């Protein structure tokens, strides 16, 4: 096995059986196919089959299957195998294979290795291993988590405080040029919160420059966890703090105060201009509490303010479908098309298709799709096939997809497996010449 080939296929999902299809084959009783492909260098099949063998008590056979992948040093295989070994109670073996990659200098191995140690009674040792590398934000995060288990929060806090460099400002959350102040503040706040020093943690988090990372705002989360509604309300009132708005609304909703939760977002009649993400959150809240008409009004107003934004139009379409009002969604799209001079790109046409199907049936939707100037493209074929498969017309969906190149091979293979045509599915996925059924 070649590690570069394994890594390329796993990252790009090309020339391989993807994980969801490996699982689907097992669910459909085709373990023989998964086992065979596992022995031919198909990593996702190997991982799925090893898991199935472990569930049957055949852990030795599972490890024998995974060992050649692990032997390449490929980190993905090491992580997958270590996870299975740990789950089987073979912790020392999981630690051993992870340690070897750490000693070989793999950049992600120290984090995984020390967390594994901490989960199994060796948190102090893990902490000591992390300390020399704490100026890296990944390691610093691991250190704070391990410190909690090791009972060494004070040491971790002192290390972080000593590393804060006021002259270092990152331009994004993935900065790797040492430990930036925002990360240090966030980690110090984590320690402070779990020690019960909530006010101190709040003060630290107010000093950050970047308040939201990966769609989460740590300060909003903290205030919500501790039920500090008024503090959260004041924080949410600041510009750009949409995550805090969401947290406040969720906190009020969980407390049964639905009207106040809705009021956090502003008027529900669509009269207030708002961020599309905030509008979507409001629409979902209204829908959860049986106020679908207002939800549609909110999303319709945002769609008017951001004409042609396909994400917003998808959300509006789904709301109209959910309320049994597909014609209203179509009317909005028709008006938008008039505003655009009668033209409509495929991204907006595909929003229209489920609405047409709900009004006039799938055949009409398919006909309209094929009549579009882009209706013979591979991406249009994906949407047409999805419509057909959604009403059980899988054979027709396969026929549509077979007329296009291998960029849509995963969808085609998925449908072929559903039809029991597994060998054809493998041909598509592995880029061999298709074999025809006799």
């Amino acid at each position: 096995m070649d590690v570069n080939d394994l890594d390329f296929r796993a990252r790009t999902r090309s020339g391989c059986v993807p994980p969801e299809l490996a699982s689907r084959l097992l669910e459909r009783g085709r373990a023989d196919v998964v086992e065979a492909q596992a022995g031919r260098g198909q990593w996702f099949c190997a991982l799925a089959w090893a898991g199935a063998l472990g569930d049957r008590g055949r852990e030795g056979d599972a490890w024998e299957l995974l060992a050649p992948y692990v032997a390449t040093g490929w980190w993905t295989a090491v992580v997958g195998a270590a996870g299975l070994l740990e789950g089987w109670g073979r912790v020392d073996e999981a630690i051993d294979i992870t340690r070897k990659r750490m000693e070989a200098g793999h950049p992600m191995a120290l984090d995984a290795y020390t967390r594994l140690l901490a989960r199994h009674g060796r948190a102090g040792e893990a902490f000591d291993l992390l300390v020399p590398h704490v100026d890296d934000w990944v390691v610093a995060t691991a250190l704070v988590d391990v410190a909690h288990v090791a009972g060494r929060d004070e040491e971790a806090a002192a290390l972080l405080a000593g590393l804060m460099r006021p002259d270092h400002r990152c331009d994004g959350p993935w900065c790797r040029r040492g430990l930036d102040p925002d990360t240090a503040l966030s980690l110090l706040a984590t320690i402070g919160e779990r020690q019960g020093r909530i006010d101190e943690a709040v003060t630290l988090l107010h000093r950050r420059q970047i308040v939201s990372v990966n769609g989460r705002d740590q300060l909003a989360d903290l205030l919500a966890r501790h039920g500090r509604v008024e503090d959260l309300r004041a924080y949410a009132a600041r510009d750009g703090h949409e995550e805090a708005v969401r947290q406040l609304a969720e906190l009020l909703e969980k407390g049964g105060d639905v009207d106040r939760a809705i009021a956090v977002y502003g008027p529900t009649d669509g009269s207030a201009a708002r961020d599309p993400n905030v509008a979507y959150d409001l629409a979902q809240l209204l829908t959860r509490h049986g106020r679908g008409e207002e939800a549609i009004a909110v999303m319709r107003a945002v769609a008017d303010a951001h004409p042609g934004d396909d994400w917003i139009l998808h959300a509006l379409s789904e709301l109209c479908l959910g309320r049994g009002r597909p014609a209203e969604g179509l009317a909005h799209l028709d008006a938008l098309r008039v505003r655009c001079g009668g033209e409509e790109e495929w991204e907006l046409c595909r929003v229209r298709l489920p609405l047409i199907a709900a009004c006039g049936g799938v055949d009409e939707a398919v006909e309209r799709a094929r009549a579009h100037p882009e209706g013979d493209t591979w991406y249009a074929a994906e949407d047409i096939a999805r419509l057909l498969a959604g009403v059980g017309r899988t054979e027709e969906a396969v026929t549509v997809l077979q007329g296009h190149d291998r960029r849509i091979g995963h969808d085609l293979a998925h449908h072929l497996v559903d039809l029991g045509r597994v060998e054809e599915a493998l041909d598509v996925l592995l880029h061999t010449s298709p074999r025809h059924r006799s």
Side-chain angles (χ1 to χ4, degrees):
M1 295 180 186
D2 179 77
V3 64
N4 292 323
D5 180 58
L6 286 169
D7 189 62
F8 177 80
R9 285 190 285 162
R11 283 187 295 104
T12 63
R13 297 294 199 268
S14 61
C16 73
V17 179
E20 61 276 7
L21 202 58
S23 298
R24 196 169 189 81
L25 286 165
L26 288 176
E27 292 168 2
R28 293 185 169 273
R30 295 307 307 269
D32 59 321
V33 174
V34 178
E35 181 181 12
Q37 292 300 320
R40 296 172 186 163
Q42 288 293 325
W43 163 246
F44 295 119
C45 287
L47 187 62
W49 183 232
L53 288 173
D55 291 342
R56 300 174 188 181
R58 295 171 57 187
E59 296 164 7
D61 292 335
W63 173 246
E64 184 177 343
L65 173 65
L66 293 177
Y69 293 90
V70 175
T72 66
W74 183 39
W75 179 241
T76 299
V78 172
V79 170
L84 288 176
L85 288 166
E86 185 182 13
W88 299 333
R90 296 167 63 169
V91 176
D92 289 342
E93 293 171 77
I95 289 173
D96 184 58
I97 64 172
T98 311
R99 175 183 54 78
K100 288 177 180 176
R101 293 307 296 144
M102 181 192 69
E103 292 173 346
H106 192 282
M108 299 175 66
L110 178 62
D111 175 63
Y113 178 65
T114 51
R115 289 180 184 276
L116 184 55
L117 290 179
R119 288 197 296 272
H120 296 283
R122 297 167 63 180
E125 178 184 347
F127 187 93
D128 291 336
L129 285 169
L130 291 165
V131 167
H133 311 282
V134 73
D135 60 342
D136 178 277
W137 72 271
V138 174
V139 174
T141 303
L143 181 88
V144 169
D145 293 341
V146 169
H148 184 47
V149 183
R152 298 171 70 173
D153 274 346
E154 292 301 331
E155 289 179 68
L159 281 168
L160 293 170
L163 285 168
M164 289 185 67
R165 306 202 321 254
D167 60 324
H168 178 193
R169 290 298 177 193
C170 287
D171 56 5
W174 305 118
C175 174
R176 289 184 175 271
R177 295 178 286 111
L179 190 65
D180 68 283
D182 277 2
T183 299
L185 289 167
S186 294
L187 293 174
L188 285 167
T190 296
I191 294 173
E193 182 187 4
R194 68 189 181 210
Q195 291 182 328
R197 295 183 280 113
I198 308 304
D199 288 337
E200 180 181 325
V202 169
T203 299
L204 286 167
L205 292 173
H206 272 301
R207 290 168 54 190
R208 297 166 302 160
Q209 285 195 326
I210 300 173
V211 301
S212 181
V213 178
N214 293 333
R216 302 300 302 182
D217 183 333
Q218 185 179 352
L219 178 53
D221 288 343
L222 183 152
L223 294 172
R225 275 195 299 275
H226 295 278
R228 297 175 64 154
V229 175
E230 293 311 313
D231 288 340
L232 185 54
R233 189 186 304 281
Y235 185 54
R238 301 183 183 183
D239 288 341
H241 289 188
E242 66 180 50
E243 177 58 28
V245 173
R246 183 183 302 114
Q247 286 282 17
L248 176 58
E250 289 178 359
L251 183 61
L252 292 167
E253 182 186 14
K254 288 175 183 176
D257 197 343
V258 176
D259 287 338
R260 286 180 68 200
I262 291 171
V264 166
Y265 292 109
T268 63
D269 59 1
S271 61
R274 51 169 61 86
D275 181 282
N277 293 321
V278 173
Y280 180 79
D281 290 336
L282 172 57
Q284 295 301 304
L285 173 59
L286 290 165
T287 301
R288 284 196 297 274
H289 294 280
R291 296 168 65 171
E293 302 297 321
E294 292 169 272
I296 290 174
V298 166
M299 290 309 299
R300 190 169 54 235
V302 175
D304 284 335
H306 301 269
D309 188 313
D310 58 289
W311 178 81
I312 297 172
L313 292 171
H314 270 293
L316 176 59
S317 170
E318 289 171 3
L319 283 171
C320 291
L321 285 169
R323 294 293 294 172
R325 294 166 55 181
E328 185 171 332
L330 284 173
H332 186 92
L333 290 170
D334 289 340
L336 177 62
R337 184 163 58 184
V338 170
R339 290 168 62 183
C340 295
E343 297 182 358
E344 185 175 66
E345 294 184 357
W346 181 259
E347 280 303 314
L348 298 187
C349 179
R350 69 192 300 264
V351 175
R352 181 186 294 278
L353 296 180
L355 299 169
I356 296 172
C359 289
V362 168
D363 288 329
E364 181 180 343
V366 169
E367 183 180 350
R368 293 279 292 277
R370 286 174 170 157
H372 189 276
E374 299 172 72
D376 60 352
T377 60
W378 65 267
Y379 48 85
E382 283 186 317
D383 292 313
I384 293 170
R386 191 174 297 115
L387 284 171
L388 292 167
V391 292
R393 293 161 62 175
T394 309
E395 288 278 8
E396 293 175 71
V398 164
T399 300
V400 169
L401 294 171
Q402 283 178 325
H404 295 269
D405 63 33
R406 298 302 176 91
R407 278 179 290 187
I408 51 179
H410 286 196
D411 284 352
L412 176 56
H414 174 95
H415 294 314
L416 287 168
V417 168
D418 284 348
L419 294 171
R421 295 158 60 178
V422 174
E423 290 303 315
E424 290 178 70
L426 293 176
D427 285 336
V428 169
L429 291 169
L430 306 183
H431 300 288
T432 57
S433 299
R435 288 191 289 271
H436 297 286
R437 291 179 295 168
S438 56

